[in-house]
Amino acid sequence: MCGIVGAVSTRNIVPILVEGLKRLEYRGYDSCGVAVHQGGELRRARSTSRVAELETQVAAEDVSGGTGIAHTRWATHGVPAVHNAHPHFSPGLETARIALVHNGIIENHDELRAELKGKGYEFLSQTDTEVIAHLVDHLYDGDLFEAVKSATHRLKGAYAIAVFCRDEPHRVIGARLGSPLILGVGEDSQVSERFLASDAMALAGVTSQIVYLEEGDVVDLQMGKHWIVARDGASNFKSVQREVRTVHAHTGAAELGPYRHYMQKEIFEQPRALSDTLEGVEGFAPDLFGENAAGIFRNVDSVLILACGTSYYSGSVAKYWLESIAKISTQVEVASEYRYRDSVPYPRTLVVTISQSGETADTMAALKHARSLGMENTLTICNVSTSAMVRESKLAYITRAGVEVGVASTKAFTTQLGGLFLLTLTLAKLRGHLSDAQEAQWLRDLRHLPAALQSVLALEPQIIAWSEDFAKKQNALFLGRGLHYPIALEGALKLKEITYIHAEAYAAGELKHGPLALVDAEMPVVTVAPNDALVDKLKSNMQEVRARGGELYVFADADSHINSEPGVHVIRLPEHYGALSPILHVVPLQLLAYHTACARGTDVDKPRNLAKSVTVE
């Protein structure tokens, strides 16, 4: 979602700010901007186009300086427009002395807006962010650090902010609560500098020395030095030291190579990503998840999975695995709903959060809510080892998908499934439900999984042919049963995300309970049909579709005995893979969505209205 970059340096930092924004483009945005201290005044450039256009604009307008901030905005309050783009100035364009960028949502912005209007402030945008800029200006009395600290006491909601002042040329202040923010320490001994960013990737190639700011921290960046204070009670702050970590962000991961889009690249990276995620696994021991995992796993007798979007569907697959293989009661909750309902906490629950970025605001809030209810046995499955969610949890399994640029998640999903399957077998072994022979067989199956995925990817030409039909449609249904019902849900999500075709998924047995009314010759019905125990039931559901004139597009296995005929199109996966079949069957659904989007001419990697890293509730 929104991205922040800031810097204080003895050199011109505009190229660093712009390059940082480019590295954050994967998060999704609809406007961008940069502001600097230049010639004793504030200068800025803003755009509703891509960062490349902003780069051209700052060059044409000769925007440069050693102190500045930059931002990519994903609209929440106010439409995507230049006047709503960050950075925001206060008190006004001609007299501006405060420049500010913000990630998050300020819940009491209406109240603060009314108060500040009463004090004479004019609002030029519809954003909640402009409220913070005016509030800081109102509280400013010669010390920006003190003004920002005072302002944070008035803010309700989530925020990561970076702000600088016309009257203090070599100073940037940052603060965070509920949204991620990091400090970068300059490594060049010839240049005195400090950096702020919402993501370490934004500073790749600039510095590897990173400080992860904690909840409630306020940081003061000056030439070659910084101070951090943390909230100490309701209204006070105390000085703190935060560890400087060496973090080598991926500088080359965003190269597109021979692929048309990042999404296609990431689909084809899945064999390698799964191989990396499973590398070194020689057995299903608790220490895969952390040094204290054995004691925690032995102390739990149920599992609660909290996640959003695609990660929620990976958790839904895991529910089938955990209950059928590990024999442990499992509940899966949409994280954004969980914390806002009355639930019954159970201390012997293993709370599992799943997130690609580890910064998903809804999931992070749900994790904290579960802990507040006394459920302290926590595990995060995540692709970023340094993320807030990993730091908040007692245990973690870090997938090794690498950087995922495309907004529609692909390799993050399959590697999450890999991590969840390891959790399933580890708990099964601890609970006495996994024999030595079964363990050896599962290890063989997992080692073969990357090769099996490679065989599925070879089906791409057949899927491209289907995509030409789908590109003409406005609606689609997806069907699955058992383990593959969540895979049907994920397939429908992918299609709607990047093609803008309305798609719904159902457990196939539910077809006759309502959705069948939608089926006609214009409604393609995608069916996930592996040769499992439910395949005969699924065949009956498919006949219900054919009897109403619906067109079936079936992803079957080699031995499913489902044949192509008029109105029934079949693509066969090379082999049936038992409980691991969902990892294989999701890949053709990803390819179908991708190639349909290409045929329709949509922006595959940056679909409208969506963001990669969802850091607001």
Side-chain angles (χ1 to χ4, degrees), residues 169-237:
H170 304 296
R171 194 181 202 187
V172 172
I173 309 300
R176 66 151 297 195
L177 185 72
S179 287
L181 192 66
I182 64 166
L183 163 70
V185 178
E187 299 176 84
D188 189 337
S189 60
Q190 304 301 312
V191 181
S192 295
E193 54 193 8
R194 290 293 187 272
F195 305 95
L196 280 178
S198 48
D199 187 323
M201 189 175 175
L203 303 181
V206 176
T207 181
S208 61
Q209 300 302 295
I210 301 298
V211 176
Y212 289 90
L213 300 175
E214 300 293 338
E215 287 287 271
D217 281 359
V218 181
V219 59
D220 185 348
L221 281 66
Q222 296 188 33
M223 288 292 192
K225 54 190 176 182
H226 65 268
W227 295 267
I228 302 173
V229 296
R231 287 191 183 225
D232 183 16
S235 59
N236 297 318
F237 288 91

Side-chain angles (χ1 to χ4, degrees), residues 457-579:
L457 288 167
L459 300 172
E460 186 180 34
Q462 298 176 57
I463 296 169
I464 292 173
W466 281 13
S467 71
E468 296 297 329
D469 292 337
F470 273 76
K472 304 167 189 172
K473 306 298 183 181
Q474 297 304 317
N475 302 282
L477 286 176
F478 286 68
L479 302 178
R481 296 202 76 146
L483 269 174
H484 296 85
Y485 168 45
I487 296 305
L489 288 164
E490 173 64 9
L493 177 63
K494 285 291 157 286
L495 193 71
K496 71 182 75 169
E497 277 182 310
I498 62 171
T499 71
Y500 317 142
I501 294 171
H502 172 247
E504 299 286 350
Y506 290 90
E510 288 296 294
L511 190 64
K512 57 187 173 291
H513 295 294
L516 199 57
L518 298 172
V519 173
D520 60 18
E522 292 302 309
M523 176 71 79
V525 180
V526 181
T527 308
V528 184
N531 188 29
D532 59 16
L534 292 171
V535 69
D536 289 333
K537 296 287 187 184
L538 187 61
K539 289 177 182 178
S540 297
N541 303 137
M542 291 164 57
Q543 288 302 316
E544 295 169 0
V545 173
R546 287 299 301 130
R548 276 76 180 177
E551 290 272 322
L552 283 162
Y553 294 80
V554 185
F555 289 106
D557 290 333
D559 52 357
S560 290
H561 304 295
I562 299 171
N563 299 313
S564 296
E565 58 182 82
V568 181
H569 315 274
V570 180
I571 292 178
R572 299 188 187 282
L573 275 66
E575 57 187 310
H576 178 55
Y577 221 61

